[in-house]
């Protein structure tokens, strides 16, 4: 738990806190580098993998709108449209009419998208298991 100083500001970090924060940041970067390399070896860009994962992992349904994907991916709407266009040309995703909103479309995974996502997600899960220790959030220590 992060303590507060007398003035309400966060308590200063100890040397152990800096080490834990640096170790955690290194773990995140190492995992992201692993992810970038493994998806490229399988013929996708990191953004395409994130798109497929966002679709498959969307809560309570098997599709999402471009607006929802933009929020999930933290990208601008037009960037997601371009990403979906490229993924659709590779037969990773498809578009279907949205029954409740004529202005929106549903973006869905294709069978090819499902297959490659399954392989890549398994590799990511295995890597996360190997990296569990360095990807655990820092355990804060009081200064001293």
């Amino acid at each position: 738990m992060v303590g507060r100083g007398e003035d309400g500001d966060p308590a200063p970090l100890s040397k152990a806190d800096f080490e834990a924060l640096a170790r955690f940041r290194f773990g995140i970067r190492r995992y992201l580098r692993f992810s970038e390399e493994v998806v490229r070896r399988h013929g996708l860009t990191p953004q395409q993998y994130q798109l497929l994962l966002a679709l498959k992992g969307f809560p309570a349904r098997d599709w999402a709108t471009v607006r929802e994907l933009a929020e999930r991916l933290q990208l601008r709407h037009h960037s997601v449209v371009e990403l979906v266009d490229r993924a659709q040309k590779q037969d990773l995703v498809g578009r279907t009419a949205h029954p409740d909103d004529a202005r929106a479309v549903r973006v869905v995974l294709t069978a090819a998208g499902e297959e490659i996502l399954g392989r890549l997600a398994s590799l990511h899960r295995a890597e996360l298991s190997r990296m569990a220790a360095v990807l655990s959030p820092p355990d804060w220590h009081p200064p001293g």
Side-chain angles (χ1 to χ4, degrees), residues 100-134:
D100 303 326
D101 185 351
R103 298 166 298 154
V105 296
R106 291 179 175 185
V107 181
V108 297
L109 284 174
T110 62
E114 289 265 2
E115 191 272 325
I116 196 157
L117 176 62
R119 277 189 287 150
L120 289 170
S122 292
L123 294 169
H124 282 78
R125 181 177 57 190
E127 183 67 9
L128 281 171
S129 293
R130 282 191 291 280
M131 296 184 68
V134 292

Side-chain angles (χ1 to χ4, degrees), residues 13 17 25 38 42 74 85-86 122:
L13 278 70
D17 289 336
R25 177 66 180 85
V38 78
H42 284 81
Q74 293 293 287
D85 286 344
R86 289 190 307 272
S122 292

Side-chain angles (χ1 to χ4, degrees), residues 16-17 19-31 127-141:
D17 289 336
E19 290 173 8
L21 200 54
R23 186 173 46 253
F24 183 64
R25 177 66 180 85
F26 169 68
I28 291 171
R29 184 61 205 123
R30 199 170 97 196
Y31 174 74
E127 183 67 9
L128 281 171
S129 293
R130 282 191 291 280
M131 296 184 68
V134 292
L135 284 175
S136 297
D139 200 12
W140 303 115
H141 300 91

Side-chain angles (χ1 to χ4, degrees), residues 51 55 65-66 69 73 78-90 93-95 105-108:
L51 171 67
L55 279 169
T65 66
V66 170
L69 291 168
L73 298 172
H78 71 275
S79 297
V80 175
V81 170
E82 292 171 8
L83 182 60
V84 170
D85 286 344
R86 289 190 307 272
Q88 188 171 16
K89 285 178 184 160
Q90 289 183 264
V93 302
R95 289 178 165 102
V105 296
R106 291 179 175 185
V107 181
V108 297

